[in-house]
Amino acid sequence: MHDKQVRRRRAVLALLVAVSLILLSAYFGESDGGPLHSVQRGIVTVLSPVQQGASTVLAPVRDIAGFFSSTFHAKTEVAQLKKENATLIFTNAQLQHDRIQNQQLTSLIHLDTAIGVSAYRPVSANVIGEDPSLWYDQIEVDAGSDQGVARDQPVIGENGLVGLVTDVTPGASIVTLITDHTLEVTAEVEDGTGDVGVLQPSVGNPSELVLSDLPTSANIQQNQTVVTAGFRSGKLDSFYPPEIPIGIVSNANEDTLASSGSVQVSPLVNLRHLEVVQILTKPQAGTTRASLVP
Amino acid sequence: MNVSTSFVIRVLALVFISVVIQVAAVSQISIFGVSADLSPLVVMSVGLLAGSITGALVGFGMGILIDLVLVQTLGVSALLYIAIGYWSGRLRELRDPAHELVPLGMGAAATAVAGIGMALIQFLLGVDAPVSLLLLQQIFLTVLVNSLIALPVYAVVRRALSPALPDDPRRRRQRRYTTGGLSPLKRPSEGLGGSVRSVSR
C-alpha cells in the first residue's frame, strides 16, 4: 500500500515536471504567432476585464499602501531634490536663453519642425496589472487594438519613456518596461555634442540603466539628460521618436567611460508607481529624425 | 487521500483569486523597493495543509496561470512552484510540524527558491543585458517582505480550505490516541486511585 502511494506520488511529480519542461521548450522555440502564444493572448483577452475590475476595486488599498511607502522615502528625497533644484535654477536660466536663440535661428532657416507629443496620437491607458518578478519588467494596460494600439509602439509616463508595447489584445496590452532585460533603446546624451549609445537595463537594479557603446572620448557629466535618439537609417527606423526624455546620467566615471564607453543612467519615471501611461500610436508622424552616428 | 469536489473548487478559486489580487494590487505596492509575491506563499500553504501531490498540482496550476496572465515564458513559474508545493507537502508528511512559526520559515524558503530558481532559469535561457549584484539584495528583500506576510497568508489559506480539507488517516489515529484516555502514563494511577477510593468506602 505504502509502495503504491510512493510510486503514485513520484509519477505525478515526474509528469508535472515533464509537462512544464515540454511547455517551456515549445514556447521558447516557437514564433510570436505560434499556438502557445495565441493561447496566452486569448487568456489575457478573457482575463483583462476581470483584472480591470479588480484593479478598480483594489485601488484604495494600493493608494493607502502607496501613501505610507511614499512618506517613508519622502525625507531622503526632499534633501536630494533641494540640492538638485539649486543646480537646475542656473541651468534653466541658461536653457531659456538657448531656447530663444534656437527658435530665432530655426525660423530663420525654415526648419521649425518642433512638435509636441500630441502629434504622435497618444492614447491614455490605466495600469491594470504588474509583474511581481525581478526578471520580467512588464505591465498590463487597459488599452488595446480597439483603441488603435499596436505592437512595438512606444509608451511614455509622466516624465519620460516607460517602455514598448510587446503584446496586444482587443482590450488590453502588455508593455515591456525599459528596465526589462529584453529591451534596448538607442539614446542620446544632451551633452552639447549629442553622443549616441545603446541603453540597456541593469538586471536586478530597477533604478539604474547602463548607456553603453558611447565614444570613449565623449565629455559626459553627471545630471545630463538622456533622450531617445530616434534614428532613421535607410529602411531601418527606431521604434521611438526622438527627444523623449529617458533619464539623467547618475554616474559618469571618466575611467569607466574611457575603458568601456558606458555611463549609468537613472530613469526619470518611477517605474514602480505607474498608474497612467500614454501609448504613442503614431510615433513617426511628422518628425524629423536624427541620424545615427556610426 | 480522498479529495472532495468542494476541496477542488475551493483550491481553484483560491488560485484564481490570489493571482488576480497579486497582479492587480500587490505587485503595485512597493515595500523597501520590492513587491511582495503571494504565489509561492499560497503554494507553500496548500502543500503544508494538503500534502505533496496536492501541493505539486496547485504549484503547477498556479505557475501556468501566472505565466499565461503575465505573458511570460510558459512553464518557468510552473517548474519552480511544483518544487515548492511538493517539498512543503513532503515536510508535512514526513515531520508533521506543529510549531506556529513553521509557515514563516517555509514562506521564506519558498520565496528564496522562487527568486533564485527564476534567476538560474533566466541565466540558462540567456540574458543579454548586464546583471547587477543588487539582484541578490532584491531577492533578499523579497524574502524578507514575504516572510512578514507568510503567517497571515497561511491563516487565510487554512481558513479557506479547512472546511473541505481531505481527512488524513494519520491525524485521525493521533486524535483517537490522545483523546481516548489510553495514555500509559495516566491510566494506571487513575485506575488505582479509583479502586482505592472504592475499597476505602
Side-chain angles (χ1 to χ4, degrees):
Chain A
M1 180 69 178
H2 180 256
D3 285 348
K4 194 181 168 188
Q5 272 187 345
V6 172
R7 275 202 301 274
R8 188 177 145 215
R9 195 176 62 226
R10 287 180 183 167
V12 170
L13 182 67
L15 181 74
L16 293 177
V17 171
V19 171
S20 300
L21 287 172
I22 290 167
L23 283 173
L24 205 160
S25 309
Y27 186 92
F28 203 66
E30 76 173 17
S31 66
D32 282 349
L36 290 175
H37 283 80
S38 303
V39 169
Q40 215 167 25
R41 271 191 287 275
I43 295 285
V44 172
T45 309
V46 171
L47 289 183
S48 58
V50 179
Q51 271 179 251
Q52 209 169 333
S55 182
T56 311
V57 169
L58 297 169
V61 180
R62 271 202 319 267
D63 292 344
I64 291 168
F67 170 77
F68 284 111
S69 179
S70 306
T71 310
F72 190 72
H73 292 291
K75 277 189 177 179
T76 48
E77 275 182 17
V78 164
Q80 194 186 338
L81 289 173
K82 275 183 178 173
K83 201 175 165 185
E84 277 178 25
N85 194 38
T87 317
L88 287 173
I89 287 169
F90 290 103
T91 314
N92 192 38
Q94 197 177 352
L95 286 174
Q96 286 293 341
H97 173 258
D98 291 349
R99 187 178 63 84
I100 294 164
Q101 196 178 31
N102 184 39
Q103 274 177 349
Q104 288 168 348
L105 290 170
T106 47
S107 58
L108 268 176
I109 55 172
H110 307 292
L111 279 176
D112 192 359
T113 55
I115 51 168
V117 169
S118 57
Y120 302 130
R121 208 180 290 163
V123 170
S124 292
N126 296 306
V127 177
I128 57 168
E130 200 166 314
D131 197 329
S133 82
L134 302 168
W135 286 90
Y136 297 94
D137 274 339
Q138 294 176 333
I139 55 170
E140 189 176 343
V141 297
D142 63 355
S145 54
D146 288 350
Q147 287 79 33
V149 177
R151 214 182 131 94
D152 297 330
Q153 286 175 343
V155 181
I156 59 170
E158 201 179 339
N159 300 321
L161 189 68
V162 165
L164 195 71
V165 176
T166 48
D167 244 308
V168 182
T169 66
S173 307
I174 301 291
V175 177
T176 300
L177 305 181
I178 50 172
T179 45
D180 189 276
H181 69 95
T182 57
L183 218 63
E184 290 180 349
V185 183
T186 313
E188 182 183 303
V189 186
E190 298 201 318
D191 58 352
T193 53
D195 291 306
V196 176
V198 177
L199 198 69
Q200 289 180 307
S202 179
V203 176
N205 188 357
S207 57
E208 188 182 294
L209 301 161
V210 179
L211 184 62
S212 52
D213 294 341
L214 288 164
T216 49
S217 57
N219 182 26
I220 296 173
Q221 304 294 322
Q222 205 168 335
N223 291 329
Q224 284 175 338
T225 310
V226 177
V227 298
T228 51
F231 70 87
R232 171 177 284 170
S233 178
K235 288 183 180 176
L236 188 65
D237 271 6
S238 169
F239 293 133
Y240 311 94
E243 299 296 324
I244 294 179
I246 303 172
I248 55 163
V249 177
S250 57
N251 190 355
N253 187 306
E254 277 182 25
D255 295 335
T256 315
L257 186 59
S259 60
S260 65
S262 64
V263 293
Q264 289 172 352
V265 176
S266 295
L268 284 169
V269 181
N270 185 352
L271 298 164
R272 286 272 171 199
H273 283 109
L274 289 169
E275 286 188 5
V276 180
V277 294
Q278 286 190 310
I279 303 167
L280 307 183
T281 58
K282 202 175 179 188
Q284 295 156 21
T287 62
T288 303
R289 296 303 189 88
S291 60
L292 181 64
V293 180
Chain B
M1 188 182 283
N2 294 319
V3 176
S4 64
T5 315
S6 162
F7 178 71
V8 175
I9 292 169
R10 279 169 187 268
V11 166
L12 289 176
L14 181 74
V15 167
F16 183 76
I17 291 169
S18 58
V19 169
V20 169
I21 290 176
Q22 171 70 56
V23 173
V26 178
S27 293
Q28 294 173 50
I29 298 168
S30 174
I31 308 163
F32 307 132
V34 295
S35 303
D37 193 354
L38 295 180
S39 321
L41 298 179
V42 171
V43 173
M44 173 276 297
S45 303
V46 174
L48 272 181
L49 289 165
S52 58
I53 294 181
T54 312
L57 285 167
V58 169
F60 177 78
M62 182 165 264
I64 290 291
L65 187 61
I66 283 177
D67 289 341
L68 285 170
V69 170
L70 296 173
V71 197
Q72 298 179 355
T73 309
L74 211 57
V76 173
S77 304
L79 206 56
L80 294 168
Y81 292 162
I82 287 170
I84 291 169
Y86 181 79
W87 286 112
S88 305
R90 286 303 288 157
L91 181 78
R92 171 185 180 272
E93 287 159 3
L94 295 171
R95 307 268 176 188
D96 197 15
H99 200 284
E100 288 174 356
L101 294 179
V102 167
L104 193 149
M106 283 300 291
T111 312
V113 167
I116 296 166
M118 182 66 87
L120 288 174
I121 292 176
Q122 291 300 331
F123 278 122
L124 288 173
L125 293 175
V127 181
D128 297 328
V131 178
S132 167
L133 274 178
L134 281 177
L135 179 68
L136 295 174
Q137 186 192 329
Q138 296 269 314
I139 292 173
F140 175 75
L141 286 174
T142 311
V143 170
L144 191 72
V145 170
N146 265 17
S147 302
L148 293 174
I149 61 166
L151 286 174
V153 170
Y154 178 76
V156 169
V157 173
R158 191 176 57 187
R159 196 178 171 82
L161 298 185
S162 57
L165 269 178
D167 202 12
D168 184 352
R170 197 159 54 110
R171 292 197 173 185
R172 198 167 56 223
R173 275 202 304 277
Q174 283 175 351
R175 272 204 303 276
R176 277 185 190 153
Y177 183 75
T178 52
T179 56
L182 297 174
S183 169
L185 295 174
K186 288 183 179 176
R187 192 172 181 180
S189 59
E190 283 171 9
L192 188 64
S195 63
V196 168
R197 268 185 228 117
S198 63
V199 168
S200 65
R201 280 173 193 170

